[in-house]
Amino acid sequence: MPLAVYILALSVFALGTSEFMLSGLLPPIADDMGVTIPQAGLLISAFAIGMVVGAPLLAVATLRLPRRTTLVSLIAVFGLGQIAGALAPTYAVLFASRIVSALACAGFWAVGAAVAIAMVPVTARARALAVMIGGLSIANVLGVPAGAFLGEHLGWRSAFWAVGAASAIALVGVLTLIPRIPLPDEKPQLRREVSIYRDAQVRLTVALVMLAAGGVFCTFSYLSPLLTDVAGLDKGWVPSVLALFGVGALIGTTIGGRVADAHLFGVLLSGTAASTTVLVALALLGQYAIAAVALSFLLGVTCFFTAPALNARLFNLAGAAPTLAGATTTAAFNLGNTGGPWVGGTVIDAGLGYPATAWAGAAMTATGLGVAAVSLRLQRRTRASRMVVSMNKKAEKADRTNNPVRNDV
């Protein structure tokens, strides 16, 4: 695996820490800004909305720009967004800083993923993406719990300063270690790249990504109050449980990345089914501390087990448009990350309690499982049709060879 892929993973560590650390910072942010916890949860949705908009927008805007220059610019803007968040005097300013950071984060994900797969053979795409996504898993192991720890002891703003520092380190790594990626001889054409959306399988995969991510983050976004208010854990335990989720995510990414290239649909179906099961169990057993902790770990495993396969599936379907494929994957994940916290906040505001977020999340992942099954059935039908056409062509060729008179007629 090229060293540059690991540098991208290092950058993703900073990006992922910022994206997910708010799950452990919602109570102090809500208290400091004078808003409710569901309103503070919208900061997670704001970041996800910026990712949804920024991924395709920046992918198109930078389509013909040098890859390394684009990555350097985006990670620099992201770091400045973290500083703006740390200094935010009001909720509105903090909200805006999250959107700006998300736009830069989305562009980096889209371009970085295209760079990662460009440096490896087709048979190693899922592994390369797993390494890159591994930075996100490590962010959940170290970055997110560290953010929660800093938020508890030094105030939530200190977590933003820490991510800003990590972004500066990532910037140095990109500048010095990412090689110059030459642009293709043929200039990318937007019309050809956009044509990938005509494929029904692309649309089904986008829906699956949205539902799989949305179902998990419907619950994960409110995991901190679920652990303290429902399971009865002291708030000092929250960073440790978030770290455990991250350990599960790292394990899931590692296993999924190694298996997905050979058994892509097996990973998609089994991982999504497992996430649904874990969410149902969390809804039923979340009031028991031991169960809540164990299920948080398993949720990390099942969620990130499918991530390399989901990424590789879209790149395989849209091989002629790698940059827009990366942007589409990023946007789809974050459409789920936008809808998930919103759905979770809605059920909480309705008075259904924090365990209801797990029920809502399970409904989303179960729907995603159905979408995956439809996609598999469609692929088998298409493959069977191609085999029939191929066999008919071979038969016609043999018939013309054995019956030259008929061929003349």
Side-chain angles (χ1 to χ4, degrees):
M1 196 61 59
L3 177 61
V5 177
Y6 293 96
I7 298 303
L8 292 172
L10 172 65
S11 303
V12 167
F13 169 78
L15 304 178
T17 298
S18 178
E19 182 172 4
F20 298 118
M21 70 180 181
L22 261 65
S23 61
L25 299 174
L26 291 186
I29 289 176
D31 290 341
D32 188 32
M33 292 294 179
V35 297
T36 65
I37 286 182
Q39 285 176 318
L42 290 178
L43 292 169
I44 299 173
S45 295
F47 197 99
I49 290 171
M51 293 280 283
V52 170
V53 175
L57 181 65
L58 288 170
V60 170
T62 63
L63 204 56
R64 300 183 182 184
L65 297 179
R67 304 289 85 185
R68 186 173 65 176
T69 301
T70 302
L71 292 175
V72 167
S73 301
L74 292 171
I75 195 68
V77 171
F78 175 81
L80 292 174
Q82 301 310 297
I83 295 173
L87 297 172
T90 64
Y91 176 79
V93 174
L94 180 59
F95 195 94
S97 74
R98 295 297 289 171
I99 293 178
V100 171
S101 297
L103 290 171
C105 180
F108 192 98
W109 265 106
V111 177
V115 169
I117 68 163
M119 295 186 292
V120 298
V122 174
T123 53
R125 283 179 172 179
R127 282 193 63 193
L129 291 169
V131 170
M132 187 173 169
I133 297 169
L136 187 62
S137 301
I138 296 173
N140 281 286
V141 175
L142 299 176
V144 174
F149 179 85
L150 289 173
E152 181 182 350
H153 293 88
L154 299 176
W156 63 269
R157 296 176 189 274
S158 64
F160 280 78
W161 285 114
V163 175
S167 303
I169 296 172
L171 174 61
V172 173
V174 173
L175 273 170
T176 57
L177 296 172
I178 294 290
R180 180 181 175 274
I181 306 296
L183 292 173
D185 296 332
E186 182 182 354
K187 291 185 177 180
Q189 297 179 3
L190 180 60
R191 181 178 299 178
R192 185 177 63 184
E193 295 242 345
V194 172
S195 66
I196 65 172
Y197 298 117
R198 298 175 187 170
D199 189 338
Q201 286 283 31
V202 169
R203 297 194 295 272
L204 284 170
T205 305
V206 168
L208 172 57
V209 172
M210 289 168 51
L211 290 165
V216 170
F217 286 97
C218 177
T219 303
F220 180 76
S221 300
Y222 301 97
L223 189 60
S224 176
L226 188 149
L227 291 170
T228 56
D229 295 2
V230 178
L233 287 172
D234 185 86
K235 64 180 181 179
W237 281 95
V238 172
S240 299
V241 178
L242 292 177
L244 196 61
F245 175 91
V247 171
L250 185 59
I251 293 172
T253 302
T254 302
I255 298 173
R258 291 185 176 276
V259 177
D261 283 312
H263 306 284
L264 194 141
F265 269 101
V267 171
L268 292 179
L269 291 168
S270 62
T272 308
S275 290
T276 304
T277 303
V278 171
L279 286 167
V280 170
L282 188 59
L284 294 171
L285 304 173
Q287 69 269 32
Y288 304 108
I290 294 178
V293 172
L295 291 169
S296 296
F297 166 75
L298 293 175
L299 188 62
V301 174
T302 60
C303 173
F304 281 82
F305 175 71
T306 60
L310 290 168
N311 278 275
R313 174 64 175 161
L314 265 176
F315 275 106
N316 291 343
L317 290 170
T323 303
L324 201 55
T328 301
T329 306
T330 301
F333 268 110
N334 285 280
L335 279 170
N337 292 350
T338 303
W342 178 80
V343 171
T346 298
V347 299
I348 293 170
D349 284 337
L352 299 177
Y354 294 115
T357 61
W359 285 117
M364 295 176 72
T365 54
T367 305
L369 183 61
V371 171
V374 171
S375 180
L376 176 59
R377 183 176 181 182
L378 179 61
Q379 176 161 303
R380 286 176 172 172
R381 184 184 301 171
T382 303
R383 185 180 298 168
S385 299
R386 288 175 180 171
M387 290 179 64
V388 170
V389 170
S390 177
M391 291 173 64
N392 288 340
K393 286 182 178 179
K394 290 180 179 178
E396 289 174 4
K397 183 178 180 180
D399 186 55
R400 285 194 300 268
T401 301
N402 296 327
N403 299 281
V405 175
R406 284 185 58 191
N407 188 45
D408 291 341
V409 173

